[in-house]
Amino acid sequence: MFRTALRNVSAHKARLLMTAFAVMLGVTFITGSLVYGDSLHRAATAEATAGYERIAVDVAPDAPQAGGPAGIDARTVRTLAKLPGVAAAAGRVDGFAAVADRAGKLIGDGTSSQGGNFAPAADGKDPAYRFTEGSGPTGKDTIALDGTTAAKGGYRVGDTVRVGTDQGAASYTLNGIFRTDGTKLPSGGSLTLFTGATAQKLFLQAGRYQHVELTATPDTDVTRLLSRVESVLPKGTSAVTGARLAQIKANLATHDSDTMSQILVGFAAVALFVATFLISNTFTMLVARRTRELALMRAVGATRKQVRRILLAESLLVGAIASVAGLAVGTGVAGLLQALFAPADAPAAPLVLTPGTVIISLLVGTLLPMVAAWLPIRRAMAIPPVAALSTAEQTAPARAGSLRTGLSAALAVTGTVTVVYGALTTAKDARTVIGIGAALTLTGVIGLIPLLSRPFVTLLKPLLTRLAPVHGDLAARNTVRDPRRTGATATALAIALTLASGLSVLGASASQYLDRATTHALSADYVIKPAGGRQMTAATTEPLKKLPGATYSPLDQSTEYRLGGVSSVLTGVDPARIGQLLRYDVIEGSLDNLAKGQIAVADFKADQAGWHVGQTLPLQRQNDKRGSVTIGAVYRADEQSDLMPSITAPDSLIARYDSAPTTHAILVATNGGPSRTALAAVTHALGDNPALAVLDQDGIRAQDSSGIGEQLNVFYALLSMALAIAALGIANTLAMSVLERRKEIGTLRALGLDRAGVTRMIRLEALLLGTLGATLGTVMGIFLGWALGRTLQQSVVGYELVLPWGRLALGVLIALTGALLASLWPARRAARVDIPAAITAQ
């Protein structure tokens, strides 16, 4: 049987090529996902733990002591340095330091902009840094930069560099350029080194360190050294080995890579699911094409079980060959992904191909064709040999009254009702309900597509016949000749379009919501925000007092309040100016009451707590300061808004309870509105500080919606694999259809249909298949996008359904283009059919 299967595979290799290619694509995707994920994991681990081998023990305070000095004093550092087995003790101070390029723009996004101290040992070198140019900072006005940041800024030793910290911005002379490891500089970040005294002044306080790194002398037992260190540590300070620190850092660093791996594997599963339809469809056509051959085998003595085993062995051989190829190509794809998405300054990391990845890829690739081929083989084996010998092809058209159709309709209706229920309910598990309903609906629609194909083609037939009377009619007839084949081919495309359309709807709706939430309530010309999502201090607003004609107010957040027994965050504003900077949609009361020492509350906060205008509430902060406050206004606000506070309070009230509130944004309005001149004036007034971003309304929109756009682009790129497999399915279906209709095509050619006409007919068939899949996929995607969006409306005020017609149309256009491209080879093959040979073929 194995020899027979091998001979059959060799004899039908052209027909099985598409199936093998589909399996290879599926295995390529899952192999690439697993290899890329494992490589990311190992690279992140290696980068995060690099350099910790030089640290024997690290000493740090357990937690900040309230009212006491922060960090570790210099005396403790000297004590640690004298312990037996300690080669050196380096006190470290670090904090936020943003570097500007020559144009004054922040280098990087600010999330990993680090500053630290240069701590030279007795030999004048700091073991954490390897200088490629110059040396470490030597005075309060000098710094050193990591090589990547210096290259991005175009800096050389001796240049003047603008650096911003939480204490403001200043210019420094670049004294050296260095390389370091993951203990100091995360990938994509920047690192600025100051002298010890300067770093302490900027990030902590004079004579204090945030932690101490101990290096050991040769042959020192680290465990014993740790015990010695712990014996001399002051209260509230603890020590940990460098190996333990490396493990902690590795766990933190690999979280993002593990999440990306899970996403990639999820999309790989979608691609494999789509490939299943292509494989099953191909085997259906192959088995139908070989009905007489299989019947003859049974007539001469082969049993059903033997024939079934031969066909399953064929699918196993095809899968095995394709799996090996997919494993090789997938590893290459992982390398390509690594090259495309890895940061430009990240070190090159080797690809990781684990035994688990090899086993999973080979198992999936070999078992998937067998599972997909099982139903076509089982259906073929049900045909009696005598009946099979009497006809060239046994068709099984979809019938409205069949059990399969009834079950599919029941699943589709049940799933639709479930999705609608999940969308309208307020239960916490609404999205789970929608997910279950979506699976049921998709399964039902997949089963109904063969039945839907005939009325769909009938609906489009008038348009086709108007464009091409003869070719359109022939294409329509050929498309509905085998509804199950048509349905299976369109299903793959429908699944891909369902996901793409649903993502487009959710993405467009979320983008519009963010746009409204961030800028609808904003009257100010500019919003000043710190880089990297940090907080500012009240001193940040002082330079704005010198800005002529400027109206400004910080949004000072003060936390840890109990207002009327409810945990609350108060935002302090300037009562006289805030009405010019934010649009308060007051429902009850008046915003003027802020000037009287009263507060204004967002409607969602008032509804949750049962508050109303005129109500006086007890106010208590965690430090036991107590008092009371009256609600002077209630206004509409979005709970997710970054600018509109949930509780607005006059800054004088905040000052009584909190001596150091944090400022997360400053609103500024200038004379004459936003302009380049006004922007430059605000930026200059803030000291040209690269740590502060001055954003107009367009800048805020771009900042808040950029994450959604980037994620959608990644998802679209991943879904393109599923679309490629779906297009491959169309090509396979048309190619097999041309083989089956070889005699018919020869007859049409003999009756006067030229090669161009045959080509046009095949292309119209492809368009019909593509239109069916794209239409169903887009409709289902919109439906699921609406349902998921409804669950967001319950918790996100202002979220509305947005249909991105441009993106949806682009998705349909891409699907139709793919269908046309898929028809090129089958159409070319049909046009070159030998007329005499085709007419005389059996």
Side-chain angles (χ1 to χ4, degrees):
M1 288 185 295
F2 184 77
R3 287 197 300 269
T4 303
L6 187 61
R7 186 168 57 249
N8 288 336
V9 169
S10 178
H12 302 100
K13 54 181 176 291
R15 301 179 189 177
L16 291 169
L17 180 62
M18 290 292 186
T19 301
F21 195 49
V23 176
M24 189 194 75
L25 283 178
V27 174
T28 294
F29 206 158
I30 195 166
T31 300
S33 301
L34 293 174
V35 171
Y36 181 60
D38 290 340
S39 301
L40 276 182
H41 185 97
R42 182 170 295 183
T45 301
E47 182 181 1
T49 58
Y52 279 98
E53 66 277 359
R54 63 177 171 77
I55 302 175
V57 177
D58 188 86
V59 179
D62 296 329
Q65 298 295 320
I72 301 172
D73 58 25
R75 179 181 177 182
T76 302
V77 177
R78 290 192 295 271
T79 300
L80 292 171
K82 296 177 182 178
L83 290 175
V86 174
R92 300 294 183 186
V93 184
D94 54 65
F96 174 76
V99 182
D101 61 17
R102 292 184 178 276
K105 302 295 183 182
L106 173 67
I107 296 177
D109 59 6
T111 55
S112 299
S113 298
Q114 304 281 344
N117 65 307
F118 180 65
D123 60 358
K125 297 180 180 180
D126 189 330
Y129 309 105
R130 303 176 300 279
F131 280 84
T132 57
E133 295 182 45
S135 61
T138 56
K140 63 178 182 179
D141 296 325
T142 62
I143 60 169
L145 288 177
D146 68 277
T148 301
T149 302
K152 288 180 179 178
Y155 293 123
R156 301 293 300 270
V157 172
D159 290 344
T160 299
V161 183
R162 191 76 174 170
V163 180
T165 66
D166 292 336
Q167 306 300 322
S171 296
Y172 300 86
T173 299
L174 183 60
N175 209 53
I177 298 174
F178 61 86
R179 293 178 180 176
T180 186
D181 48 48
T183 64
K184 302 300 178 188
L185 179 61
S187 177
S190 64
L191 178 59
T192 307
L193 290 183
F194 303 87
T195 61
T198 303
Q200 289 173 336
K201 179 181 177 181
L202 291 174
F203 305 132
L204 196 59
Q205 63 186 70
R208 312 291 295 189
Y209 299 93
Q210 288 165 330
H211 65 108
V212 183
E213 294 176 356
L214 303 180
T215 53
T217 56
D219 301 325
T220 298
D221 185 276
V222 175
T223 304
R224 292 183 180 179
L225 178 60
L226 179 64
S227 299
R228 296 191 199 106
V229 170
E230 290 175 336
S231 66
V232 300
L233 289 181
K235 185 179 180 181
T237 307
S238 59
V240 64
T241 64
R244 177 57 182 159
L245 268 182
Q247 184 180 0
I248 295 172
K249 293 291 185 180
N251 292 336
L252 294 173
T254 55
H255 178 267
D256 291 341
S257 63
D258 291 343
T259 302
M260 176 58 72
S261 298
Q262 293 170 4
I263 293 174
L264 288 172
V265 171
F267 278 94
V270 172
L272 288 172
F273 185 57
V274 173
T276 302
F277 288 94
L278 170 56
I279 298 165
S280 180
N281 205 25
T282 301
F283 271 97
T284 299
M285 292 184 286
L286 283 174
V287 172
R289 182 73 177 171
R290 296 166 56 191
T291 301
R292 284 190 174 186
E293 173 192 333
L294 300 176
L296 183 60
M297 292 176 64
R298 291 180 58 195
V300 297
T303 64
R304 285 186 179 182
K305 186 179 293 186
Q306 287 175 322
V307 175
R308 185 183 297 116
R309 287 177 180 175
I310 291 172
L311 294 175
L312 288 176
E314 291 179 24
S315 64
L316 178 63
L317 283 170
V318 171
I321 295 170
S323 298
V324 174
L327 186 63
V329 177
T331 304
V333 168
L336 180 62
L337 289 174
Q338 197 176 62
L340 290 175
F341 296 112
D345 53 350
L351 293 177
V352 178
L353 182 61
T354 64
T357 297
V358 175
I359 293 172
I360 291 173
S361 300
L362 293 180
L363 279 179
V364 168
T366 53
L367 294 180
L368 182 63
M370 296 180 66
V371 173
W374 174 257
L375 186 59
I377 293 172
R378 182 176 178 273
R379 192 160 49 232
M381 292 301 97
I383 302 174
V386 175
L389 287 169
S390 64
T391 182
E393 181 181 356
Q394 297 292 329
T395 60
R399 298 185 301 276
S402 68
L403 177 62
R404 171 180 171 174
T405 301
L407 181 60
S408 298
L411 286 174
V413 172
T414 303
T416 302
V417 172
T418 304
V419 171
V420 173
Y421 170 77
L424 299 180
T425 188
T426 57
K428 293 182 179 179
D429 58 350
R431 293 174 192 172
T432 302
V433 173
I434 291 174
I436 295 172
L440 293 175
T441 302
L442 191 59
T443 304
V445 171
I446 288 172
L448 288 176
I449 284 181
L451 190 67
L452 297 173
S453 61
R454 192 177 297 276
F456 184 84
V457 172
T458 301
L459 183 66
L460 292 181
K461 187 175 180 180
L463 177 62
L464 289 177
T465 53
R466 180 174 298 180
L467 295 174
V470 176
H471 313 100
D473 182 68
L474 289 172
R477 291 174 181 269
N478 292 331
T479 302
V480 297
R481 177 177 293 184
D482 190 337
R484 284 184 178 173
R485 179 190 302 175
T486 299
T489 305
T491 295
L493 194 60
I495 294 171
L497 262 295
T498 296
L499 294 174
S501 301
L503 286 173
S504 295
V505 171
L506 286 174
S509 301
S511 295
Q512 177 172 290
Y513 157 71
L514 285 175
D515 183 26
R516 291 179 178 176
T518 54
T519 61
H520 176 70
L522 185 64
S523 299
D525 298 328
Y526 299 103
V527 177
I528 300 169
K529 288 187 174 184
R534 299 175 58 79
Q535 300 290 337
M536 297 175 287
T537 62
T540 309
T541 62
E542 290 298 319
L544 295 175
K545 294 179 179 179
K546 302 177 182 179
L547 189 62
T551 301
Y552 65 90
S553 175
L555 300 180
D556 293 330
Q557 284 192 340
S558 188
T559 60
E560 301 176 345
Y561 286 91
R562 299 288 295 179
L563 179 60
V566 179
S567 296
S568 303
V569 175
L570 273 60
T571 301
V573 300
D574 186 336
R577 300 176 177 179
I578 193 63
Q580 305 172 49
L581 303 171
L582 283 179
R583 297 187 184 96
Y584 281 84
D585 186 3
V586 178
I587 302 173
E588 187 180 1
S590 173
L591 202 64
D592 294 338
N593 290 326
L594 289 174
K596 302 176 183 179
Q598 299 180 1
I599 63 172
V601 181
D603 54 352
F604 65 85
K605 186 73 174 181
D607 292 340
Q608 292 170 0
W611 297 336
H612 57 82
V613 170
Q615 184 177 0
T616 299
L617 301 172
L619 180 65
Q620 177 184 1
R621 199 157 186 264
Q622 191 176 22
N623 58 8
D624 290 333
K625 287 185 178 180
R626 299 173 184 269
S628 61
V629 68
T630 301
I631 299 176
V634 174
Y635 54 89
R636 289 190 178 89
D638 192 331
E639 192 170 355
Q640 308 298 321
S641 176
D642 185 43
L643 294 177
M644 185 62 74
S646 60
I647 300 177
T648 305
D651 48 15
S652 57
L653 175 67
I654 297 296
R656 293 204 301 268
Y657 290 86
D658 190 352
S659 60
T662 57
T663 303
H664 73 284
I666 303 172
L667 309 179
V668 182
T670 56
N671 283 338
S675 64
R676 289 185 178 181
T677 303
L679 177 62
V682 174
T683 302
H684 185 66
L686 294 169
D688 295 313
N689 192 341
L692 299 177
V694 183
L695 304 172
D696 58 12
Q697 293 199 8
D698 290 337
I700 296 172
R701 291 191 189 98
Q703 185 183 72
D704 291 338
S705 61
S706 61
I708 293 179
E710 292 172 358
Q711 291 178 4
L712 285 177
N713 290 335
V714 172
F715 292 156
Y716 290 149
L718 294 172
L719 283 174
S720 63
M721 181 66 76
L723 283 172
I725 295 175
L728 190 63
I730 294 175
N732 200 23
T733 297
L734 292 176
M736 296 297 290
S737 178
V738 167
L739 280 175
E740 294 173 356
R741 293 154 46 199
R742 190 161 172 260
K743 185 172 183 178
E744 174 189 319
I745 293 173
T747 303
L748 289 173
R749 290 290 316 281
L751 292 175
L753 190 64
D754 58 9
R755 288 186 174 183
V758 173
T759 301
R760 191 175 299 115
M761 177 183 68
I762 299 298
R763 288 177 180 174
L764 289 175
E765 290 180 36
L767 275 178
L768 283 172
L769 288 171
T771 305
L772 174 60
T775 301
L776 289 174
T778 302
V779 171
M780 287 192 294
I782 293 174
F783 175 59
L784 295 179
W786 165 80
L788 290 172
R790 284 283 306 181
T791 65
L792 294 175
Q793 284 180 323
Q794 298 162 10
S795 58
V796 180
V797 179
Y799 179 93
E800 295 180 358
L801 177 69
V802 175
L803 297 181
W805 296 112
R807 290 185 186 176
L808 295 175
L810 180 61
V812 173
L813 180 62
I814 291 174
L816 296 182
T817 303
L820 278 177
L821 292 175
S823 69
L824 293 178
W825 178 60
R828 183 171 178 270
R829 186 170 185 177
R832 294 192 174 189
V833 165
D834 183 82
I835 297 175
I839 293 175
T840 57
Q842 296 296 322

